[in-house]
């Protein structure tokens, strides 16, 4: 294809599929059949999914699994996880079972403050701008009352608005930096609506402010938008037990294991190359629960990785220590989540996932997500410091390799039996399959 298409968004779903198939595939009929094979047979459900985004042509499946036996704050839960990567759900489940007999997970929400900003340019006397803001601050609250009334009834709303001078970073750059409590809603639309009203109030009041010169009255609002960096919306998850209680099949010397585990975490605290992979493992658990519960995992990822760099260097999100014979492993991460609004009230599987979690509040969901991240991290570090990561991961990955080569049921049984005693690698599996077929 060497030219643009005009009016693509106005085409019907069938027309879009036909155009794509004819433009990009050597066998258009096969491409069309594959896309339609992933449609839901229930037209109502399919229409619902079609309208989540634009230019929908089919559904892209990601498995929804569950990790049982999570003992969190004294109560057992089964956590839903939507993810395509082998071994993640199994690892979380193993970690959950391991800690269920050692006191379980403790989770605490430290704060739930969210942030939004109006970014603007002001050319003039800074002292006059400070005075203007002090005199008009109350108007930012009063003129958003129509937006905040319902949120205030639920115990949320605008917490504060402050003026920030950022001229050391860019000439004439200032912010209205606002903090919010959005209760069980993620709150993006609420926050952005408030911010856009702030910008209108700012411009109107500045234009009528007698102490400003004509130039100073012409405040330029560049943009009004929430921030996905929420360093004061924090949840903590932790596990701890006496060192001797760490003993199990793969941990014959618990003291040695605990010390090595702490060293592994310390390496991730000081070495960014390791920290990125270390934190990716945490996000395997975090993202899987965030996605299963209809929340924005891209926003969560961006905010958490910014938090990992808050001290000027990218570092581990989790920490470990040994004190007085007690092993403790914990993390603190920022999470802006919601359990009402958005997909939480539309997507049938999101509603199912939330019901599985007994319809949690946003704070409770923060705890589930943080615990899943910590469990995933513990499982990975336990493997890394004992048997190695590949043994367990490749055994879980074996099914993907078998499916790739479309093994028969008879071949599948033989392959799985063979690799119970032999090391799994892609080349080893291919070689064994070829030997079966000769």
């Amino acid at each position: 294809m060497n030219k643009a298409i005009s009016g693509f968004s106005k085409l019907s779903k069938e027309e879009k599929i036909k155009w794509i198939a004819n433009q990009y595939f050597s066998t258009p009929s096969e491409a069309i059949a594959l896309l339609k094979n992933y449609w839901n047979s229930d037209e109502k459900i399919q229409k619902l999914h079609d309208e989540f985004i634009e230019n929908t042509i089919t559904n892209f499946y990601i498995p929804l699994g569950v990790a049982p036996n999570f003992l969190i704050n004294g109560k057992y839960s089964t956590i839903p996880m939507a993810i395509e990567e082998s071994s993640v759900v199994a690892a979380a489940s193993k970690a959950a079972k391991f800690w269920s007999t050692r006191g379980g997970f403790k989770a605490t929400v430290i704060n739930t403050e969210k942030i939004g900003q109006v970014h603007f340019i002001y050319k003039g006397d800074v002292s006059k701008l400070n005075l203007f803001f002090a005199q008009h601050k109350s108007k930012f609250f009063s003129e958003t009352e129509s937006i905040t009334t319902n949120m205030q009834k639920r115990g949320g709303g605008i917490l504060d608005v402050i003026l920030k001078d950022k001229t050391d970073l860019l000439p004439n750059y200032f912010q209205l930096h606002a903090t919010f409590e959005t209760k069980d809603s993620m709150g993006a639309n609420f926050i952005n609506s408030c911010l856009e009203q702030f910008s209108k109030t700012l411009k109107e009041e500045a234009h009528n402010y007698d102490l400003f010169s004509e130039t100073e009255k012409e405040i330029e609002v560049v943009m009004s938008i929430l921030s996905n960096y929420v360093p004061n919306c924090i949840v903590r998850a932790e596990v701890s037990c006496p060192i001797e209680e760490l003993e199990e099949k793969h941990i014959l010397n618990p003291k040695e294991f605990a010390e090595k585990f702490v060293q592994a975490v310390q390496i991730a605290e000081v070495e960014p190359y390791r920290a990125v992979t270390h934190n990716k493992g945490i996000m395997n658990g975090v993202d899987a629960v965030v996605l299963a519960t209809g929340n924005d995992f891209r926003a969560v990822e961006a905010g958490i990785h910014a938090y990992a760099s808050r001290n000027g260097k990218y570092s581990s999100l989790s920490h470990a220590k040994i004190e007085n014979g007690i092993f403790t492993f914990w993390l603190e991460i920022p999470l802006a989540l919601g359990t009402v609004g958005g997909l939480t009230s539309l997507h049938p599987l999101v509603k199912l996932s939330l019901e599985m979690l007994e319809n949690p509040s946003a704070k409770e969901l923060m705890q589930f997500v943080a615990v899943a991240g910590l469990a995933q991290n513990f499982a990975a570090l336990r493997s890394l410091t004992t048997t190695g990561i590949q043994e367990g991961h490749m055994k879980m990955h074996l099914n993907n390799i078998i499916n790739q080569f479309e093994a028969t049921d008879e071949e599948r049984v033989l392959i799985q039996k063979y690799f119970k005693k032999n090391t799994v690698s892609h080349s080893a599996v291919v070689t064994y399959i070829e030997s079966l077929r000769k």
Side-chain angles (χ1 to χ4, degrees):
M1 180 184 175
N2 57 10
K3 65 178 182 178
I5 178 174
S6 178
F8 181 78
S9 64
K10 294 181 174 62
L11 298 178
S12 69
K13 183 179 173 183
E14 291 276 2
E15 289 170 336
K16 288 170 185 167
I17 290 172
K18 185 177 179 181
W19 180 84
I20 289 168
N22 289 327
Q23 286 291 332
Y24 295 106
F25 297 93
S26 57
T27 52
S29 61
E30 289 183 12
I32 292 171
L34 178 62
L35 290 171
K36 291 187 174 182
N37 195 41
Y38 280 83
W39 288 5
N40 197 293
S41 58
D42 185 319
E43 290 185 8
K44 185 178 179 181
I45 291 177
Q46 186 55 55
K47 185 175 185 295
L48 180 69
H49 283 69
D50 285 348
E51 293 176 354
F52 285 157
I53 62 167
E54 307 76 38
N55 295 338
T56 305
I57 57 173
T58 194
N59 307 311
F60 191 94
Y61 292 173
I62 291 178
L64 177 66
V66 295
N69 300 318
F70 272 93
L71 180 60
I72 305 171
N73 295 339
K75 181 180 177 181
Y76 278 99
S77 297
T78 296
I79 296 182
M81 304 179 76
I83 191 166
E84 86 298 340
E85 184 176 335
S86 301
S87 79
V88 170
V89 177
S93 300
K94 284 184 178 179
K97 189 174 182 181
F98 179 92
W99 284 106
S100 69
T101 59
R102 295 166 174 82
F105 294 83
K106 306 294 186 294
T108 309
V109 173
I110 297 171
N111 206 338
T112 55
E113 180 185 283
K114 295 167 186 174
I115 292 169
Q117 297 164 323
V118 176
H119 305 268
F120 68 94
I121 303 299
Y122 167 78
K123 299 177 181 178
D125 186 333
V126 176
S127 64
K128 285 200 282 184
L129 180 63
N130 287 326
L131 180 61
F132 163 79
F133 178 74
Q135 292 175 347
H136 292 82
K137 180 175 178 176
S138 62
K139 286 215 167 187
F140 295 109
F141 289 86
S142 62
E143 295 194 7
T144 52
E145 282 182 357
S146 62
I147 303 170
T148 62
T149 299
N150 288 335
M151 184 65 75
Q152 286 176 342
K153 288 177 182 177
R154 299 197 296 271
I158 304 165
L159 300 177
D160 198 10
V161 186
I162 61 173
L163 174 67
K164 286 193 173 185
D165 183 339
K166 294 286 186 175
T167 53
D168 59 322
L169 302 176
L170 288 173
N172 309 312
Y173 170 39
F174 295 83
Q175 293 174 0
L176 292 181
H177 183 96
T179 51
F180 301 84
E181 170 58 64
T182 62
K183 304 307 287 183
D184 289 336
S185 168
M186 190 274 170
N189 290 330
F190 169 76
I191 292 172
N192 287 335
S193 295
C194 289
L195 294 172
E196 289 187 2
Q197 180 58 52
F198 287 171
S199 68
K200 290 177 185 177
T201 301
L202 175 66
K203 293 178 73 173
E204 289 171 2
E205 295 300 326
H207 190 72
N208 296 321
Y209 191 53
D210 291 338
L211 295 183
F212 280 162
S213 68
E214 290 305 310
T215 299
E216 290 168 335
K217 288 181 178 181
E218 297 304 318
I219 285 177
E220 178 191 352
V221 173
V222 180
M223 55 187 166
S224 307
I225 187 70
L226 65 76
S227 174
N228 290 128
Y229 183 42
V230 285
N232 292 323
C233 189
I234 300 293
V235 58
R236 176 186 174 99
E238 72 172 62
V239 288
S240 66
C241 71
I243 288 177
E244 59 270 19
E245 291 183 12
L246 292 169
E247 186 174 354
E248 55 135 21
K249 182 172 66 173
H250 295 300
I251 305 174
L252 301 179
N253 187 329
K255 183 175 183 293
E256 182 181 293
F257 166 78
E259 291 172 348
K260 195 173 182 182
F261 191 103
V262 171
Q263 287 177 330
V265 175
Q266 288 173 340
I267 289 170
E269 289 174 336
V270 300
E271 171 50 64
Y273 283 90
R274 172 58 197 145
V276 170
T277 309
H278 178 94
N279 290 345
K280 186 269 181 186
I282 292 172
M283 300 313 295
N284 278 343
V286 168
D287 284 349
V289 186
V290 170
L291 188 57
T293 56
N295 279 269
D296 187 345
F297 72 90
R298 286 88 48 195
V300 167
E301 282 271 356
I304 286 179
H305 291 303
Y307 189 75
S309 304
R310 67 193 182 283
N311 295 321
K313 182 178 180 180
Y314 191 87
S315 181
S316 170
L317 292 161
S318 63
H319 311 279
K321 66 180 180 179
I322 300 168
E323 284 184 358
N324 302 319
I326 303 295
F327 169 82
T328 305
F329 179 49
W330 77 97
L331 60 70
E332 290 182 5
I333 52 174
L335 286 173
L337 303 176
T339 56
V340 298
L343 283 187
T344 62
S345 57
L346 288 175
H347 198 301
L349 288 178
V350 168
K351 289 194 282 188
L352 181 142
S353 294
L354 290 171
E355 189 171 349
M356 189 187 307
L357 293 172
E358 301 184 52
N359 297 313
S361 65
K363 283 185 176 181
E364 289 167 336
L365 183 57
M366 289 170 70
Q367 294 174 354
F368 285 123
V369 171
V371 164
L374 188 69
Q376 197 64 37
N377 197 209
F378 176 80
L381 289 170
R382 180 175 60 172
S383 292
L384 283 169
T385 55
T386 54
T387 59
I389 200 77
Q390 283 301 90
E391 179 184 335
H393 178 73
M394 289 308 294
K395 283 190 176 180
M396 296 301 298
H397 189 54
L398 178 59
N399 280 336
N400 288 344
I401 304 173
I402 292 172
N403 289 334
Q404 183 182 342
F405 286 87
E406 298 181 348
T408 65
D409 290 342
E410 290 181 359
E411 288 174 333
R412 184 181 293 271
V413 170
L414 292 171
I415 294 166
Q416 289 174 335
K417 183 178 179 181
Y418 178 81
F419 283 103
K420 278 185 177 180
K421 297 181 179 179
N422 293 277
T423 301
V424 179
S425 70
H426 189 277
S427 59
V429 177
V430 171
T431 299
Y432 186 68
I433 291 174
E434 290 175 346
S435 71
L436 288 176
R437 293 176 175 177
K438 282 182 181 177

